Amino acid sequence: MVSPNKVVSPKEKLELIALIEDGTQTNKGYSVAKVKWNGKDAFAIRYDGDNEEDKGFPTTTNGYHASWFILPNEVSLPYLRFFVAQKDLIERLEKHLN
C-alpha cells in the first residue's frame, strides 16, 4: 500500500496540498486530499490498497505509479461538509467521554 503523501502522479498536472483523510492511518481504505489540478484548487480520492505490494487505485496508464482521482466539485463539496461535521461531532463526544 502506498502512503498517500507519496502519491504525486501525474506530476505535470498535480500538486499535493494537504491530506484530509489518510486511509493508511485510519484504516478506512481510502484517502482524500486537497490538490492543485492544472493550477486550480480541487479535491481528490484514491483507494489505498490491501497490502504492501498493492499500489491502490487509480494508477497511471501502465500501472507503474499510484495516482489520484480528481473529484468534481458537485461530489467533493457535499462529502467534505459531511466529513467536517462528522469529525466535529466525534471530537465533541470524546470530550464528554474522557
Side-chain angles (χ1 to χ4, degrees):
M1 145 178 4
V2 178
S3 170
N5 283 315
K6 296 180 180 179
V7 179
V8 293
S9 289
K11 290 180 183 179
E12 63 278 358
K13 294 182 179 184
L14 183 125
E15 177 188 351
L16 182 62
I17 303 298
L19 282 180
I20 296 168
E21 176 73 47
D22 182 345
T24 62
Q25 299 299 311
T26 62
N27 296 319
K28 287 190 175 178
Y30 65 92
S31 295
V32 179
K34 181 175 182 181
V35 299
K36 287 269 186 196
W37 179 253
N38 287 327
K40 296 180 182 175
D41 287 340
F43 294 94
I45 192 167
R46 67 179 324 276
Y47 164 68
D48 294 315
D50 292 326
N51 56 53
E52 292 302 316
E53 293 81 34
D54 193 343
K55 292 180 183 167
F57 185 82
T59 59
T60 56
T61 305
N62 293 325
Y64 294 126
H65 304 287
S67 62
W68 290 97
F69 176 81
I70 306 304
L71 293 166
N73 284 338
E74 297 82 7
V75 174
S76 65
L77 295 178
Y79 166 78
L80 292 170
R81 285 187 185 110
F82 173 78
F83 180 79
V84 169
Q86 183 182 30
K87 186 173 181 177
D88 182 56
L89 176 64
I90 291 169
E91 288 173 356
R92 285 188 286 146
L93 283 172
E94 285 177 346
K95 285 181 187 177
H96 294 289
L97 294 174
N98 290 332

